[in-house]
Each structure stands twice: as C-alpha cells, then as structure tokens.
Amino acid sequence: MKTRERLPWIALVAIMLTVAVVFVRRAPRLAPLPEISRIGSFSLTNQFGIRVGREDLEGWVVVADVIFSRCPGQCHQLSLAMARMQSALPMGSRIRLVSLTADPAFDTPNVLERYGRRYGVQGERWHFLTGPKLDVYRLATDGMKFSVVENESAKGGNLEDQFIHSSSFAIIDRRGILRAMVQLEDPRCVERVVELATRLAREDWK
C-alpha cells in the first residue's frame, strides 16, 4: 500500500485513539463507599467447632447476614442468596461469607454444620457462627448494624416468629469496617453484593 493510501487509515486510527483517551478521562469515578462502623473484637465458634475472631477475618472482605436453622422462610431465602454469592465469587477471591445465628442456644456447631451442607458450603469460604447469645447479638447489632431480637411472646408458636432479625447483607472491608448494606428484597441483591464485595477486595487496606 502506498503512503498516500495509508494516510487516511493512519488518520482514522489516530482519531479513534484520541476519542478513547477522552472517554477514559471523562468516565465518572466511583465515589468511595462510606465508613459506617467498625467491627469490635469478638470470639465465636464456626460450624466446624473452630474459634473465629476479628483477627481471623482481617484482610478479608466479609459478607454477613443473620439466620437461624429452624427458620423455614426468610432465613432459607437469605441462605439461598448466600449460596448464589458463593458460586459467583472466584475461589481465590479475598472474600468470606459469614452467617450469624439468632438462635445460638439451639444452633450448636453440629446443627449449623448440617444446615450449611444443605446450601453447599465450600470449606472455610462460608462460616456459620454461634456462641454466647450476648456475644453473637453484640456483634450483629453493634458492628454490623443488624436488628435481631428474641420474641418472647412467640414462644411455643410459629418458629419463624420466635426471632426477629434483619433480612439484609452487611459488607465489611478488609480493615473490619462496615461499608454497605444490601436488602434481600433488592431485585439485584446477589449481583449488587458481589459487585460491592469485589470492589472492596481491590482496595488498598493497609
């Protein structure tokens, strides 16, 4: 191809490169997620009988919720969503899933291990945490800003009504700071949680 014939193509490529550079420079940058609260120290036990504390999750983005194993409705939907998140996240990602029990007196490690198997838990990627009720509830309400109460008036009645808790997911960064909450009712709940958790996993955390 002669030089004269190449000139229009060279000009076209130059224009395309210029447009691409301008587009990248003008593309809006995502605002940083707010820092809502810091997770305090805790010591609970997972479904394998292993102690898990705040220091064990340092360096990991944590997606957390509150469930209890005898809850047939809302908790089932929360755990199904968590299972979908587990499948959507790459095996090597710096993200952990954590489910706190609202019913620690019943939800022993063995009970939670059986419950977790129903949803395809993959090793340590998804912790189900139990322990003294005061400790579990303190972590849920103070650090993760969940609502969780035991409904004394529902004793002996519908199991699902015996514990009232949030139907949302908390997303905690690698420094142990709560950065976002996503409601289960959000039509894009799973996708939204995966997007935010992945975004936080890329942040410089030290």
Side-chain angles (χ1 to χ4, degrees):
M1 185 181 291
K2 296 180 180 179
T3 302
R4 277 189 308 175
E5 295 174 341
R6 288 202 302 263
L7 285 176
W9 292 103
I10 294 171
L12 179 60
V13 170
I15 291 170
M16 291 173 66
L17 288 173
T18 302
V19 170
V21 169
V22 170
F23 177 79
V24 169
R25 286 181 177 176
R26 291 186 178 180
R29 293 185 179 180
L30 294 173
L33 296 172
E35 297 185 0
I36 300 169
S37 64
R38 183 177 291 275
I39 305 301
S41 296
F42 65 90
S43 180
L44 298 174
T45 304
N46 72 8
Q47 71 269 35
F48 306 115
I50 299 171
R51 177 198 166 278
V52 176
R54 185 183 64 181
E55 63 277 10
D56 298 301
L57 297 175
E58 186 176 89
W60 297 88
V61 172
V62 173
V63 176
D65 68 354
V66 178
I67 53 91
F68 61 104
S69 67
R70 295 186 289 174
C71 167
Q74 175 178 282
C75 300
H76 174 60
Q77 296 304 319
L78 286 163
S79 296
L80 281 177
M82 277 286 217
R84 289 172 59 199
M85 293 172 202
Q86 179 181 243
S87 297
L89 293 166
M91 286 293 290
S93 64
R94 296 294 298 177
I95 299 168
R96 286 284 183 263
L97 309 180
V98 170
S99 292
L100 303 175
T101 175
D103 185 15
F106 180 85
D107 285 339
T108 62
N110 285 338
V111 169
L112 291 174
E113 195 275 330
R114 290 194 299 272
Y115 179 82
R117 268 191 274 138
R118 290 168 50 190
Y119 298 95
V121 169
Q122 298 172 357
E124 294 186 351
R125 298 185 73 196
W126 186 356
H127 293 285
F128 288 83
L129 297 184
T130 187
K133 178 182 172 182
L134 183 62
D135 295 345
V136 176
Y137 279 33
R138 182 185 297 118
L139 174 60
T141 58
D142 292 353
M144 299 182 181
K145 302 306 177 187
F146 290 123
S147 296
V148 52
V149 295
E150 185 170 1
N151 186 6
E152 296 290 343
S153 63
K155 292 292 185 182
N158 188 341
L159 282 173
E160 192 157 9
D161 295 333
Q162 291 186 19
F163 298 90
I164 301 170
H165 59 85
S166 302
S167 60
S168 55
F169 298 94
I171 307 173
I172 299 142
D173 70 17
R174 298 167 75 180
R175 299 169 295 157
I177 298 174
L178 175 64
R179 302 289 295 277
M181 302 287 287
V182 177
Q183 297 297 318
L184 177 65
E185 293 78 13
D186 185 333
R188 293 188 66 251
C189 172
V190 172
E191 293 80 4
R192 180 71 173 150
V193 170
V194 169
E195 287 169 6
L196 292 173
T198 303
R199 178 177 162 189
L200 289 177
R202 296 191 185 111
E203 282 189 348
D204 183 10
W205 67 283
K206 286 188 177 180

mmCIF file with all atom_site columns, all heavy atoms in Angstrom, residues 46 112 188:
data_model
loop_
_atom_site.group_PDB
_atom_site.id
_atom_site.type_symbol
_atom_site.label_atom_id
_atom_site.label_alt_id
_atom_site.label_comp_id
_atom_site.label_asym_id
_atom_site.label_entity_id
_atom_site.label_seq_id
_atom_site.pdbx_PDB_ins_code
_atom_site.Cartn_x
_atom_site.Cartn_y
_atom_site.Cartn_z
_atom_site.occupancy
_atom_site.B_iso_or_equiv
_atom_site.pdbx_formal_charge
_atom_site.auth_seq_id
_atom_site.auth_comp_id
_atom_site.auth_asym_id
_atom_site.auth_atom_id
_atom_site.pdbx_PDB_model_num
ATOM 1  N N   . ASN A 1 46  ? -17.295 -21.495 64.773 1.00 0.00 ? 46  ASN A N   1
ATOM 2  C CA  . ASN A 1 46  ? -17.950 -21.803 63.500 1.00 0.00 ? 46  ASN A CA  1
ATOM 3  C C   . ASN A 1 46  ? -18.518 -23.217 63.492 1.00 0.00 ? 46  ASN A C   1
ATOM 4  O O   . ASN A 1 46  ? -18.453 -23.949 64.490 1.00 0.00 ? 46  ASN A O   1
ATOM 5  C CB  . ASN A 1 46  ? -17.011 -21.547 62.308 1.00 0.00 ? 46  ASN A CB  1
ATOM 6  C CG  . ASN A 1 46  ? -15.905 -22.578 62.186 1.00 0.00 ? 46  ASN A CG  1
ATOM 7  O OD1 . ASN A 1 46  ? -15.860 -23.595 62.873 1.00 0.00 ? 46  ASN A OD1 1
ATOM 8  N ND2 . ASN A 1 46  ? -14.975 -22.324 61.283 1.00 0.00 ? 46  ASN A ND2 1
ATOM 9  N N   . LEU A 1 112 ? -25.355 -26.286 62.896 1.00 0.00 ? 112 LEU A N   1
ATOM 10 C CA  . LEU A 1 112 ? -25.022 -25.366 61.813 1.00 0.00 ? 112 LEU A CA  1
ATOM 11 C C   . LEU A 1 112 ? -24.241 -26.053 60.698 1.00 0.00 ? 112 LEU A C   1
ATOM 12 O O   . LEU A 1 112 ? -24.375 -25.687 59.528 1.00 0.00 ? 112 LEU A O   1
ATOM 13 C CB  . LEU A 1 112 ? -24.225 -24.183 62.361 1.00 0.00 ? 112 LEU A CB  1
ATOM 14 C CG  . LEU A 1 112 ? -25.032 -23.224 63.252 1.00 0.00 ? 112 LEU A CG  1
ATOM 15 C CD1 . LEU A 1 112 ? -24.118 -22.166 63.859 1.00 0.00 ? 112 LEU A CD1 1
ATOM 16 C CD2 . LEU A 1 112 ? -26.172 -22.561 62.468 1.00 0.00 ? 112 LEU A CD2 1
ATOM 17 N N   . ARG A 1 188 ? -31.701 -6.980  42.492 1.00 0.00 ? 188 ARG A N   1
ATOM 18 C CA  . ARG A 1 188 ? -30.321 -7.304  42.092 1.00 0.00 ? 188 ARG A CA  1
ATOM 19 C C   . ARG A 1 188 ? -29.452 -7.594  43.307 1.00 0.00 ? 188 ARG A C   1
ATOM 20 O O   . ARG A 1 188 ? -28.242 -7.378  43.285 1.00 0.00 ? 188 ARG A O   1
ATOM 21 C CB  . ARG A 1 188 ? -29.706 -6.155  41.294 1.00 0.00 ? 188 ARG A CB  1
ATOM 22 C CG  . ARG A 1 188 ? -30.340 -5.907  39.939 1.00 0.00 ? 188 ARG A CG  1
ATOM 23 C CD  . ARG A 1 188 ? -29.536 -4.878  39.120 1.00 0.00 ? 188 ARG A CD  1
ATOM 24 N NE  . ARG A 1 188 ? -28.223 -5.375  38.759 1.00 0.00 ? 188 ARG A NE  1
ATOM 25 C CZ  . ARG A 1 188 ? -27.075 -4.932  39.289 1.00 0.00 ? 188 ARG A CZ  1
ATOM 26 N NH1 . ARG A 1 188 ? -27.077 -3.989  40.242 1.00 0.00 ? 188 ARG A NH1 1
ATOM 27 N NH2 . ARG A 1 188 ? -25.919 -5.416  38.893 1.00 0.00 ? 188 ARG A NH2 1
#
